[in-house]
Amino acid sequence: MGGSAGTAAALHGGVGTSSATASTLTAAITMHQVAAGDEQHHCVVVELPNAQPVWVDALHATLTDGSHHLIVDRANAQTALMTSSESCSPTMAGDATRLLIAQQHDTRLALPAGVAYRLETHQRIFLQLHFINIGEKPLEIAGTVELSLSTASSPKEAKSIFIGATNIMLAAGQPGSAKYFGKPPVNGAAWRVFALTSHTHQLGVRSTIERVASLDAPEVTALHESLDWSEPPLTQLATPLVFDGSDGLRLICRYMNTTNRTVTFGTGAADEMCFMWLYYYQ
């Protein structure tokens, strides 16, 4: 895989590209001339130039201004390439294929030693960019992910899961909250969670993730805390948390509804969300 390679298409709103070096694979989506006030989800499917199956043990995503989040998934070999971006439904694909959800300008995920994601030969990558131009002039908005190749011979497979609450009802001009509790389904093997993060929209003022036995358990020291809805931290754990089915994780999203209307769950910037995603292995 020495040198570099790339794919691109004629510009039609946005374009997907891919490239490679001896130690990395890169995929990107770039939206051109996004009009002021425009909010959309756009997707591309690109093919990576790896000539054989590889493992990835670190990911680095970068987002420009105007990017709300970038979702990175593996697509199977039968998925049609789509290097000219198209409008798409939010949060497509699924936990079994997902590599990363990036919601910071700069997101780095380092997998534990001996843990990696597998990519097939000429792996197809599905990228979804949620973007909004809050400025007054057209804007170029992009999301890029760099995948670092692992030298491990037979690593454990990294996994991720995206879960949360949808029963959100925020009264106009009032504070509010939403909660979710999840107990990992062990299925014969303990979960080892090594990174986690939370996600709300612009009314979110504080989100926490705690390790507790139930939804109504007493408050404990949070494993993860976000005080900035637009740049929630990706909390990486030096020692993975081992879950054997006896307890789980509680997400609490706290809001201040500064609008003059009731706000409920939805995928747009004017709606609200309360999600967490976990990175783990078994």
Side-chain angles (χ1 to χ4, degrees):
M1 284 190 300
S4 62
T7 60
L11 300 186
H12 180 66
V15 62
T17 59
S18 67
S19 62
T21 69
S23 60
T24 63
L25 297 165
T26 300
I29 176 172
T30 303
M31 302 304 304
H32 299 283
Q33 295 296 301
V34 176
D38 190 12
E39 179 190 10
Q40 294 190 54
H41 294 77
H42 264 235
C43 297
V44 296
V45 179
V46 300
E47 184 177 276
L48 297 176
N50 56 306
Q52 59 188 12
V54 294
W55 291 91
V56 169
D57 61 9
L59 301 92
H60 179 205
T62 55
L63 303 177
T64 63
D65 288 343
S67 301
H68 183 46
H69 63 251
L70 174 71
I71 301 178
V72 184
D73 282 271
R74 290 163 289 190
N76 62 45
Q78 289 70 48
T79 303
L81 293 175
M82 186 173 68
T83 50
S84 290
S85 75
E86 294 184 6
S87 179
C88 54
S89 300
T91 317
M92 296 172 64
D95 296 333
T97 60
R98 188 148 299 134
L99 295 174
L100 182 71
I101 304 178
Q103 53 183 342
Q104 299 171 294
H105 279 84
D106 192 295
T107 300
R108 296 177 185 269
L109 175 64
L111 279 59
V115 178
Y117 286 116
R118 180 179 170 86
L119 302 182
E120 301 300 334
T121 301
H122 294 298
Q123 179 70 60
R124 297 194 173 191
I125 296 292
F126 172 86
L127 299 175
Q128 181 182 89
L129 185 67
H130 180 188
F131 60 88
I132 179 169
N133 182 0
I134 62 173
E136 298 178 353
K137 297 180 180 180
L139 187 64
E140 182 168 288
I141 302 175
T144 301
V145 61
E146 182 182 81
L147 311 169
S148 296
L149 303 184
S150 172
T151 58
S153 57
S154 56
K156 291 182 179 292
E157 179 76 35
K159 303 175 182 180
S160 70
I161 187 169
F162 180 76
I163 48 179
T166 57
N167 57 335
I168 300 171
M169 182 73 68
L170 306 175
Q174 299 296 317
S177 65
K179 295 182 180 181
Y180 178 87
F181 174 76
K183 184 180 292 186
V186 174
N187 296 330
W191 284 33
R192 289 168 168 79
V193 175
F194 60 88
L196 64 172
T197 190
S198 59
H199 177 81
T200 71
H201 287 175
Q202 58 192 347
L203 300 181
V205 294
R206 182 173 181 247
S207 298
T208 56
I209 301 173
E210 308 160 273
R211 184 173 190 171
V212 293
S214 68
L215 181 66
D216 298 319
E219 184 175 343
V220 299
T221 301
L223 299 166
H224 162 88
E225 180 183 44
S226 172
L227 301 175
D228 183 351
W229 72 272
S230 65
E231 287 274 332
L234 174 60
T235 300
Q236 300 192 64
L237 306 167
T239 302
L241 301 174
V242 180
F243 291 91
D244 61 6
S246 60
D247 63 357
L249 293 167
R250 177 173 61 194
L251 167 68
I252 304 177
C253 302
R254 302 161 182 85
Y255 309 92
M256 183 63 216
N257 185 354
T258 54
T259 74
N260 59 3
R261 60 183 179 84
T262 299
V263 175
T264 58
F265 173 82
T267 60
D271 305 313
E272 267 306 332
M273 287 188 171
C274 181
F275 284 114
M276 61 179 167
W277 42 93
L278 316 174
Y279 298 92
Y280 69 100
Y281 62 97
Q282 292 176 283

